[in-house]
């Protein structure tokens, strides 16, 4: 059974493995480690039998949360893990009276857009050629409370 924990040093290797398997330009492990002691960063780490199976992270500035990363281990997708982790971040926003959650997502990332829409995020706008690696547009999605 999956438990959801906050970001801890012991999880950074597992997160790094998932990032490398999930992103063409993954965050470095050092970047993730920096978030451990950052009071503006909130993570939901999905752990099963001491293994990280997914995680989601957000940074909050002036009551506005930005989802910085979310990924599920490639072997464990479509089991509802991403949805549970993102729901946990949404709950944290509600508990802390944060006003808004925003995120950017590649237009071609059908899975992520569907996940966000399934939780009530709306497409608010787009940033043309936002991703420098392939010139892809970003969709800006938001949820306000
Ligand atoms: C996006 C991602 C995090 C989704 O994680 P997941 O754990 O597989 O998602 P869930 O199982 O919780 O899916 C929840 C809902 O999202 C939608 N969804 C998820 N994956 C989908 C896919 N491949 N195609 C269509 N819809 C999808 C569905 O509505 C799904 O509900 P359902 O399974 O009941 O139909 C995962 O695909 C991933 O890690 N991708 C690579 C990293 C990435 O692109 N992250 C986002 C950008 S930062």
């Amino acid at each position: 059974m999956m438990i959801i924990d906050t970001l801890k040093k012991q999880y950074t290797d597992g997160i790094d493995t998932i990032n490398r398997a999930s992103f063409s330009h993954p965050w470095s492990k050092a970047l993730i480690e920096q978030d451990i002691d950052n009071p503006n960063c909130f993570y939901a780490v999905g752990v099963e039998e001491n293994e990280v199976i997914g995680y989601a992270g957000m940074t909050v500035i002036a009551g506005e949360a930005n989802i910085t990363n979310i990924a599920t281990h490639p072997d464990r997708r479509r089991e509802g893990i991403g949805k549970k982790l993102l729901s946990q971040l949404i709950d944290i926003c509600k508990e802390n009276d944060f006003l808004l959650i925003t995120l950017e997502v590649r237009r071609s990332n059908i899975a992520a857009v569907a996940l966000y829409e399934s939780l009530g995020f709306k497409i608010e706008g787009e940033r043309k050629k936002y991703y420098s690696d392939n010139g892809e547009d970003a969709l800006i999605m938001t949820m306000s409370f």
Side-chain angles (χ1 to χ4, degrees):
M1 232 219 2
M2 178 174 83
I3 59 141
I4 300 180
D5 203 351
T6 54
L7 181 61
K8 298 191 170 109
K9 178 89 175 78
Q10 76 220 52
Y11 299 139
T12 55
D13 278 336
I15 290 173
D16 190 53
T17 301
I18 292 174
N19 280 344
R20 286 166 187 275
S22 301
F23 299 110
S24 49
H25 301 280
W27 278 22
S28 68
K29 212 171 87 175
L31 216 50
I32 299 282
E33 280 171 0
Q34 277 177 19
D35 285 352
I36 296 174
D37 295 319
N38 185 336
N40 298 319
C41 294
F42 298 81
Y43 275 68
V45 182
V47 183
E48 199 175 84
E49 291 167 2
N50 291 320
E51 296 285 336
V52 178
I53 54 174
Y55 82 101
M58 65 181 175
T59 301
V60 182
I61 296 166
E64 192 174 303
N66 183 252
I67 305 292
T68 45
N69 260 330
I70 177 165
T72 298
H73 191 288
D75 297 342
R76 302 296 303 267
R77 291 191 184 154
R78 291 311 280 273
E79 294 181 31
I81 293 168
K83 198 167 187 169
K84 283 199 187 104
L85 297 174
L86 194 53
S87 299
Q88 171 79 1
L89 295 186
I90 293 168
D91 286 349
I92 291 171
C93 287
K94 289 180 179 162
E95 282 160 17
N96 288 281
D97 293 326
F98 300 148
L99 305 170
L100 180 73
I101 312 182
T102 67
L103 59 86
E104 290 92 27
V105 58
R106 286 177 195 260
R107 187 189 289 283
S108 67
N109 196 342
I110 308 288
V113 173
L115 166 64
Y116 302 139
E117 283 182 330
S118 78
L119 282 167
F121 282 84
K122 302 273 183 255
I123 297 172
E124 179 93 5
E126 57 184 16
R127 292 192 216 280
K128 289 279 178 201
K129 300 190 166 64
Y130 181 76
Y131 297 99
S132 53
D133 56 345
N134 64 352
E136 191 172 353
D137 299 343
L139 298 178
I140 302 164
M141 299 185 74
T142 63
M143 176 188 280
S144 38
F145 303 107

